[in-house]
Amino acid sequence: MHATNCLVQCEEMIREGSSTFYKAFGYLPSPRKEAVYVIYAFCRMIDDSVDEPERSLYSIDELEHHLDELATAEGHFIWPALRWLFQQFPNLQKAPFYKQMEGQRRDLVQTEYNTMEELEHYCYLVAGTVGEMLLPVLHESPDEKVVESGVYLGKAMQIVNIVRDIGEDKRRGRRYVPLDWMQECRYSEECFQAEDVNEGLKQLILKLEQKAKEWFALGLRDLDTYPTSSAFSVELAALFYGSILDAVKSNEYQVFRKRAYVSGVQKASMLLSIMRRYNMNNHKAESSAVS
């Protein structure tokens, strides 16, 4: 399969799966933009192999095997796309992908988290690793501090995911919000099972929001070391994602029966604000964000 066709199919996956990431990273120049699409597509496949195994073409063990034997892997557009990715960005390693698989496998055996320490490690495995994947693509020469920042940014986004998806995850039999923080906020497991939206849940979400904000700040601390186009896309993605927590509060903390989302109009406003700050001129920006 020709690499160009494979990249187009990866782009289609991110367009359908995450309008936030698609819009934020769509301003990158080639080949960085296409590399982000490939990374997203493979991470989506890893996630789906655990969360929606009945719809996944591969089990997580099969994905790991094909990544091991990437030079000869066939049967899906992701394999030539990944070969293209590693050729284009030779500093990118397979290790973060294996770590992410470790995190996704954890979902098969651990359905509840007792401490924030446990949850932070999980956030690293399933999302901090994405920062490790993206940095060789987005940054010319990331040092250890820049990589650490990328990991924090991924972990911050995962906290947002956890808050947004509390109800959806509960229906899958999972509780990611840590028990020690629930107890601090006087939100009992009985309240969680009953899907109570009360003051304890509000305090718990606010506490998780504060942690996400701390990690977002650490994740964005090195933006001045990135190429301008990469810094723009990273900051935009963080702003889009962080605003999901504002949507949760607008929904009056109803995370069990109502999904929080950021409207296209809101995204357009954020996009235009950042574009002005970066002195970027693009008359298509507003229509691009709203669509």
Side-chain angles (χ1 to χ4, degrees), residues 60-221:
I60 195 164
D61 290 338
E62 289 169 335
L63 291 174
E64 184 176 59
H65 171 73
H66 285 303
L67 184 60
D68 287 340
E69 308 295 334
L70 184 58
T72 56
E74 299 294 345
H76 193 279
F77 64 80
I78 197 64
W79 311 122
L82 284 169
R83 287 193 286 270
W84 171 89
L85 174 69
F86 287 113
Q87 288 166 2
Q88 288 286 325
F89 298 92
N91 290 332
L92 178 61
Q93 305 296 314
K94 291 181 181 180
F97 295 96
Y98 289 123
K99 289 177 187 175
Q100 190 180 87
M101 290 179 189
E102 178 188 342
Q104 296 296 346
R105 281 193 175 96
R106 185 161 296 193
D107 281 338
L108 297 172
V109 296
Q110 184 169 358
T111 58
E112 297 181 345
Y113 285 79
N114 291 322
T115 68
M116 187 62 200
E117 184 179 12
E118 284 182 352
L119 182 64
E120 181 172 359
H121 184 58
Y122 173 79
C123 289
Y124 164 68
L125 289 174
V126 298
T129 54
V130 179
E132 294 176 325
M133 298 169 196
L134 289 175
L135 274 168
V137 170
L138 299 175
H139 201 286
E140 299 291 353
S141 54
D143 59 20
E144 287 186 13
K145 181 171 177 286
V146 171
V147 171
E148 183 183 62
S149 299
V151 168
Y152 273 121
L153 187 58
K155 293 194 299 184
M157 291 183 176
Q158 186 61 23
I159 290 293
V160 175
N161 284 339
I162 286 167
V163 172
R164 181 195 61 196
D165 297 340
I166 286 175
E168 180 181 332
D169 289 328
K170 178 179 177 291
R171 288 188 288 275
R172 287 176 169 163
R174 299 174 187 168
R175 174 182 54 73
Y176 292 102
V177 289
L179 182 60
D180 58 351
W181 280 26
M182 289 171 62
Q183 291 170 339
E184 286 181 32
C185 297
R186 299 184 178 181
Y187 189 69
S188 67
E189 290 188 86
E190 291 76 19
C191 286
F192 176 81
Q193 293 301 328
E195 300 186 357
D196 288 343
V197 178
N198 54 26
E199 184 63 24
L201 179 65
K202 175 182 176 181
Q203 293 304 316
L204 176 61
I205 289 173
L206 290 173
K207 189 173 177 68
L208 288 163
E209 178 189 39
Q210 182 57 42
K211 176 57 69 176
K213 286 182 175 179
E214 290 173 12
W215 286 349
F216 272 122
L218 291 168
L220 298 174
R221 63 188 173 183

Side-chain angles (χ1 to χ4, degrees), residues 14 20-29 33 36-37 233 236:
I14 190 172
T20 292
F21 288 140
Y22 184 62
K23 288 177 171 65
F25 291 104
Y27 291 92
L28 288 170
K33 174 172 60 179
V36 172
Y37 297 163
S233 288
L236 185 60

Side-chain angles (χ1 to χ4, degrees), residues 228-271:
T228 300
S229 60
S230 293
F232 172 82
S233 288
V234 169
E235 186 172 356
L236 185 60
L239 186 61
F240 281 173
Y241 232 82
S243 63
I244 292 171
L245 294 174
D246 294 326
V248 169
K249 290 186 280 188
S250 295
N251 288 345
E252 297 182 336
Y253 301 90
Q254 178 50 269
V255 289
F256 293 104
R257 301 182 187 93
K258 192 171 183 179
R259 185 176 176 86
Y261 74 96
V262 182
S263 72
V265 172
Q266 291 171 307
K267 287 180 180 179
S269 176
M270 289 182 274
L271 170 61

